[in-house]
Amino acid sequence: MDRETEDVLDVVGPRLRALRRERGITLADLAATTGVSESTLSRLESGRRRATLELLLPLARTYDVPLDVLVGAPRTGDPRIHLKPIRRFGMVFVPLSRRPGGTQAFKMVIPAVPAPLEPTPQTHEGFEWLYVLNGRLRLVLGERDLTLAPGEVAEFDTAQPHWLGSADGGAVELLILFDLQGVRAHVRTGAASQGG
């Protein structure tokens, strides 16, 4: 094995340990998710076990990162990030963050419809912050029925019945930050926030 390859492999363990700790995952949880034994994961992180493709693939899937992130390979070729839209409930969600767990960022597109849809409020665990980019968003939140214009922001506990749709039948684009643990987003603007 050449020196360059050895240098890359030497930093894989500490990189894996840092990634696991950053995500707040225990070795036991990681072992249960990947199917790799806890002792093998521990030896891999400490450098007592060499990384192999067989060990790195389940870790890359669990952390939702490309293999080159795990080994610290330099970026080559096309620098663009290729986002994969998700279609749900007649809407398009474009994931903007690739880290599982913690706060998730999405661009959401609500397509134009011939007539505004009837709200069907849902609840789930978490907290949501949204920012309207284009169009007029209808936000039904509990008993409240709100219309948000471009540049307006809303945040709410998703345990409240809520529904998002077009206020006037036109397309709507918005940014959404979602956190399963209920962490609130804080926006600071103006001179009043500089002292605090």
Side-chain angles (χ1 to χ4, degrees):
M1 184 180 311
D2 65 34
R3 184 70 235 161
E4 187 177 350
T5 302
E6 283 189 38
D7 290 344
V8 168
L9 290 176
D10 285 344
V11 298
V12 170
R15 186 179 308 277
L16 290 173
R17 180 182 292 116
L19 188 58
R20 179 178 57 78
R21 288 180 176 167
E22 175 188 306
R23 306 278 173 98
I25 300 172
T26 66
L27 278 173
D29 291 340
L30 189 58
T33 304
T34 61
V36 177
S37 76
E38 200 172 328
S39 64
T40 298
L41 291 169
S42 177
R43 289 194 328 267
L44 186 60
E45 286 186 1
S46 67
R48 295 186 317 244
R49 169 100 188 234
R50 281 285 184 205
T52 64
L53 194 56
E54 181 181 17
L55 293 173
L56 292 177
L57 281 174
L59 291 169
R61 276 193 296 272
T62 298
Y63 291 134
D64 194 26
V65 297
L67 279 172
D68 58 347
V69 169
L70 296 183
V71 297
R75 286 193 170 268
T76 59
D78 192 344
R80 294 174 293 182
I81 296 172
H82 301 281
L83 304 173
K84 296 177 186 164
I86 302 164
R87 289 171 180 17
R88 285 192 190 139
F89 317 113
M91 297 177 253
V92 178
F93 297 83
V94 181
L96 302 176
S97 57
R98 302 193 310 181
R99 184 180 147 221
T103 302
Q104 299 293 309
F106 298 91
K107 178 179 179 185
M108 180 177 166
V109 179
I110 301 171
V113 292
L117 300 174
E118 185 64 32
T120 53
Q122 304 290 320
T123 62
H124 52 88
E125 184 182 352
F127 204 85
E128 202 160 281
W129 179 92
L130 54 88
Y131 176 86
V132 180
L133 295 167
N134 291 303
R136 293 172 43 83
L137 176 71
R138 182 177 179 196
L139 169 62
V140 175
L141 185 59
E143 298 298 317
R144 299 182 75 184
D145 196 332
L146 307 165
T147 298
L148 282 71
E152 289 193 285
V153 175
E155 69 176 344
F156 54 92
D157 185 333
T158 56
Q160 293 183 62
H162 61 283
W163 179 83
L164 306 174
S166 174
D168 55 14
V172 183
E173 295 180 58
L174 57 148
L175 294 177
I176 294 180
L177 295 179
F178 173 78
D179 187 274
L180 197 57
Q181 305 304 318
V183 175
R184 291 176 175 249
H186 297 281
V187 178
R188 296 180 186 234
T189 61
S193 67
Q194 292 175 1

